Amino acid sequence: MVEMKLAKLRTSASTNGRQLWQPELLNESYKDTGPRSLWVDYCTNSTIHGFKYLVGNKRTTVERIWWIVVCLLSLYGCGSLIHSVYRKWDREPVVVTFAEKPAPVFTIPFPAVTICPETKVRKKDLDFTTAYQLFNDEDLWQFMATEQLAKLEALLQVCDFSFGIEMNNESYADDVVELLQRMAIPFDDIFLMCGWREHIVDCKDFFKQTLTEAGICYTFNSLAADDLMRREQLHTEYEYMAENETSKQWNMDEGYSNGAGGDTYPRRAFGAGRRAGMFVILKVQKYDMDYLCGNSFQGFKVHLHSPVQYPRMLNQFFRIPLSQEVSVSVDPLVFDTAPNVRRYNPQRRLCYHNHERYLRYFKVYSKFNCDIECLSNYTLKTCGCVPFPLPRTSDARICGLGKASCTDTALSVLEEMDLLHELNKTDNFLEHCNCLPACNSIFYNTEISQAMFDWRKLAENIHLIAGVTNATELSYLSIHFKISRFIPIKRSELFGISDFLANCGGVLGLFMGVSILSIVEIVYYCTLKPLMARRGAYSRSETAQVIKPALILPPEEFGPAGGRARKVSNKW
């Protein structure tokens, strides 16, 4: 029998202070002893890329510096791109584009038409040329009647005449409108025949008197004076507009109501072409013509404008010569604003809705009305008076010929206001004008064709017009829409809050892998977790204790494990 002994298996648990069995840890933070700091805990568990490489005992200094630089560069890239996205969102939130589908012309009003005759006065009331020549004669001017001088000065304010501005140094002309109305050509001596949508109509029902810088004019399809102007703020010496038909089923922001019929005011056309438009035959008596007042031009001035705009004949007009047929084809230009743009500040969307901008003299806001009011206020401040066609209060006086140079200077400053704004040289008073465009507005572009109107040849064969003699000159004007449908121009949201957030999220995700939950984590670690830790409701995780392996041996009284031998007998 051979007796074999096993080697001694009992050994001590450690050799030279080192563990003989130690598993490889999955998380390096478990090697930290004691409770971890909030920063280490956040970096270890954060879903933001790169932060977990900033902590851990196995990271060398070079590695940590590398990842710190990478994270800082990523943060800088995110910040700069998000800043550029914010600037775009803040400065350019609105885009002006064409609408998705065309609109019919009956959704907008027919243009307002203001007609001003170049012949301002009948010869029997005042011969302007003779009166001017008498006034320039040093020997004869003193024999002129006082009323004749007053009429001459009044006409000098409305004639296209530039040689007599300095003839009088009178500063004020409070009776100029009264004189112009007394001298004006009668209505029946201007309008011969009118038509609307292929129907002959009474011209007096369609054209109403309007006061402009060209004198006494007549306007078709404008808003009533009570709907357009604030009468309580104006003087009561004379009326600016004689129109009295109200627009109950239309406004600039909402358009025509659903129940508006075909005869709703302001009037509208239902198609394109001359059959759907208006025409008017105008007349002038040859013996009333004055070539000095009109700078040799005879005929009429015509201005097409929106019904909510007070007419101004200073620059925006076209002429109708005598014995000519003028056909005007109108192409509407409509600006509309989407509802989601209304929440933006007017300075960001660069337009005003009617309720957002108060005008002292006008109930309806438009850039033209705002410019007129601004000019009136600035002229009053600069010159101490207001030209007669501009709105004013009862305590403001009317400028005379002696103030002509001052009023012209004020008008020039106002015309240059946009340029002065760009150069930061605008007068502080003009800063209060702030005449942005209206968010909803209508403009009428025109195409004009012209031909001879030989009405005498026609009258020789057919008796069409009564009361017209050889001393009469006629002109024909027709106005109609060029197309039956147009494409509006729409202000819509280019870069909304959802687009801004999407761009910011894309930048953060690209550079650092940040999501909404990553932001929630930051909020959690900054608020809830430290608060709960202070209250004792939340215990910070401690470093996991590694369970040391131990070999379980039998008690010593049984003898050494390795001392036992198994007897083996060899039997042959």
Side-chain angles (χ1 to χ4, degrees):
M1 180 180 295
V2 179
E3 187 179 73
M4 300 181 63
K5 295 183 179 180
L6 296 174
K8 186 176 180 180
L9 297 177
R10 186 182 296 276
T11 58
S12 60
S14 61
T15 304
N16 296 329
R18 296 180 60 187
Q19 299 288 344
L20 295 180
W21 182 83
Q22 183 174 348
E24 195 69 28
L25 299 180
L26 297 177
N27 194 330
E28 295 180 2
S29 64
Y30 282 96
K31 293 183 290 184
D32 297 334
T33 58
R36 290 175 295 179
S37 66
L38 192 64
W39 167 249
V40 174
D41 195 9
Y42 171 72
C43 290
T44 303
N45 298 289
S46 175
T47 57
I48 299 179
H49 298 335
F51 276 31
K52 66 180 180 179
Y53 299 110
L54 302 179
V55 296
N57 290 340
K58 284 190 173 183
R59 304 293 176 211
T60 63
T61 304
V62 175
E63 288 181 298
R64 292 188 181 184
I65 293 175
W66 164 261
W67 283 109
I68 289 174
V69 171
V70 170
C71 289
L72 290 177
L73 290 176
S74 296
L75 287 174
Y76 175 77
C78 287
S80 61
L81 289 179
I82 289 175
H83 178 67
S84 64
V85 170
Y86 174 78
R87 290 184 60 185
K88 180 179 180 181
W89 176 60
D90 183 61
R91 296 184 179 184
E92 303 173 358
V94 177
V95 62
V96 179
T97 58
F98 288 104
E100 295 82 5
K101 58 182 180 179
V105 293
F106 60 76
T107 59
I108 60 173
F110 197 80
V113 182
T114 299
I115 300 177
C116 300
E118 288 290 351
T119 303
K120 309 296 182 184
V121 61
R122 292 181 294 187
K123 282 289 181 68
K124 66 178 182 179
D125 293 329
L126 178 69
D127 188 333
F128 178 82
T129 301
T130 302
Y132 177 73
Q133 291 173 347
L134 286 175
F135 185 84
N136 281 339
D137 192 306
E138 296 181 356
D139 298 327
L140 299 178
W141 75 270
Q142 55 187 338
F143 297 104
M144 295 180 65
T146 304
E147 183 180 3
Q148 189 179 20
L149 281 173
K151 291 180 177 179
L152 178 62
E153 294 171 5
L155 281 178
L156 283 172
Q157 296 206 43
V158 297
C159 287
D160 287 337
F161 181 74
S162 58
F163 303 102
I165 294 178
E166 302 297 337
M167 64 174 290
N168 195 318
N169 60 359
E170 290 292 333
S171 299
Y172 306 105
D174 295 327
D175 59 344
V176 61
V177 176
E178 179 184 356
L179 291 172
L180 290 175
Q181 289 176 339
R182 279 167 33 192
M183 293 187 295
I185 303 293
F187 185 91
D188 293 334
D189 288 346
I190 298 175
F191 293 89
L192 183 63
M193 182 182 297
C194 298
W196 171 245
R197 296 196 309 218
E198 285 295 299
H199 295 286
I200 303 298
V201 297
D202 188 352
C203 293
K204 290 185 178 180
D205 294 337
F206 276 64
F207 286 89
K208 301 298 174 66
Q209 189 178 106
T210 303
L211 188 64
T212 72
E213 57 270 19
I216 305 301
C217 302
Y218 300 89
T219 302
F220 161 79
N221 210 39
S222 176
L223 288 188
D226 290 334
D227 295 337
L228 182 60
M229 310 188 77
R230 302 184 190 273
R231 289 181 179 268
E232 67 277 7
Q233 298 290 341
L234 299 172
H235 62 87
T236 57
E237 298 173 15
Y238 53 84
E239 296 288 342
Y240 290 92
M241 304 174 65
E243 183 61 66
N244 55 8
E245 190 167 355
T246 60
S247 55
K248 297 180 180 179
Q249 295 184 314
W250 179 85
N251 62 70
M252 191 69 253
D253 289 335
E254 304 296 334
Y256 288 97
S257 63
N258 294 330
D263 296 328
T264 303
Y265 195 84
R267 300 175 181 90
R268 52 180 174 169
F270 292 95
R274 301 181 65 170
R275 293 179 56 86
M278 59 90 67
F279 74 88
V280 58
I281 300 178
L282 306 168
K283 64 180 179 179
V284 175
Q285 302 299 334
K286 291 182 179 180
Y287 49 78
D288 286 333
M289 296 180 186
D290 191 287
Y291 290 90
L292 186 62
C293 180
N295 281 337
S296 77
F297 176 80
Q298 297 299 320
F300 301 87
K301 290 180 179 178
V302 181
H303 175 36
L304 268 61
H305 54 92
S306 171
V308 301
Q309 175 187 338
Y310 188 81
R312 294 203 68 200
M313 306 297 297
L314 189 62
N315 295 318
Q316 299 177 353
F317 65 87
F318 59 90
R319 297 182 184 272
I320 304 178
L322 299 178
S323 299
Q324 294 285 322
E325 177 186 355
V326 178
S327 178
V328 181
S329 180
V330 178
D331 189 7
L333 182 64
V334 178
F335 283 87
D336 192 13
T337 301
N340 58 1
V341 180
R342 292 194 175 189
R343 67 175 182 270
Y344 287 101
N345 185 280
Q347 302 301 326
R348 294 184 64 192
R349 65 170 120 92
L350 299 178
C351 68
Y352 282 118
H353 287 285
N354 190 46
H355 65 279
E356 294 176 330
R357 183 72 164 85
Y358 175 83
L359 296 179
R360 183 180 184 183
Y361 300 125
F362 296 96
K363 293 182 179 180
V364 182
Y365 179 83
S366 71
K367 188 180 187 309
F368 297 97
N369 296 344
C370 182
D371 287 338
I372 291 174
E373 183 168 310
C374 183
L375 177 61
S376 176
N377 295 334
Y378 185 70
T379 307
L380 178 62
K381 175 180 178 293
T382 306
C383 306
C385 57
V386 178
F388 72 91
L390 299 181
R392 60 183 179 89
T393 57
S394 57
D395 56 347
R397 302 193 65 180
I398 299 176
C399 295
L401 290 177
K403 294 287 187 177
S405 59
C406 181
T407 57
D408 290 342
T409 301
L411 178 60
S412 299
V413 171
L414 185 67
E415 290 175 343
E416 298 173 1
M417 184 172 59
D418 292 337
L419 175 61
L420 296 176
H421 271 295
E422 294 291 335
L423 300 177
N424 294 325
K425 296 181 180 180
T426 309
D427 189 313
N428 290 333
F429 182 86
L430 296 179
E431 291 288 346
H432 299 290
C433 293
N434 194 22
C435 294
L436 295 175
C439 291
N440 299 301
S441 56
I442 305 176
F443 302 92
Y444 299 95
N445 297 325
T446 59
E447 294 182 6
I448 300 174
S449 61
Q450 187 173 320
M452 287 294 299
F453 181 46
D454 197 350
W455 59 273
R456 288 186 174 87
K457 291 293 183 181
L458 183 63
E460 290 177 359
N461 301 309
I462 304 175
H463 183 71
L464 295 175
I465 305 170
V468 177
T469 64
N470 290 329
T472 305
E473 289 290 346
L474 300 183
S475 299
Y476 185 93
L477 170 66
S478 65
I479 303 174
H480 57 272
F481 280 119
K482 180 180 179 181
I483 52 178
S484 60
R485 290 181 176 269
F486 63 94
I487 300 179
I489 296 177
K490 188 174 183 179
R491 290 184 180 90
S492 55
E493 191 177 52
L494 171 65
F495 205 71
I497 184 66
S498 59
D499 302 304
F500 173 70
L501 293 177
N503 277 271
C504 291
V507 170
L508 290 171
L510 175 65
F511 279 85
M512 307 194 70
V514 176
S515 65
I516 292 295
L517 291 180
S518 302
I519 299 175
V520 172
E521 283 179 354
I522 296 175
V523 175
Y524 167 70
Y525 274 93
C526 292
T527 57
L528 185 60
K529 187 166 184 176
L531 180 63
M532 298 303 291
R534 283 196 300 267
R535 293 182 178 181
Y538 179 82
S539 300
R540 291 178 300 178
S541 301
E542 297 183 356
T543 304
Q545 299 294 326
V546 179
I547 301 175
K548 298 179 180 180
L551 183 61
I552 302 177
L553 300 177
E556 294 182 358
E557 56 266 24
F558 289 96
R564 299 180 184 178
R566 188 177 57 175
K567 295 181 179 181
V568 181
S569 59
N570 295 327
K571 297 182 179 179
W572 305 98

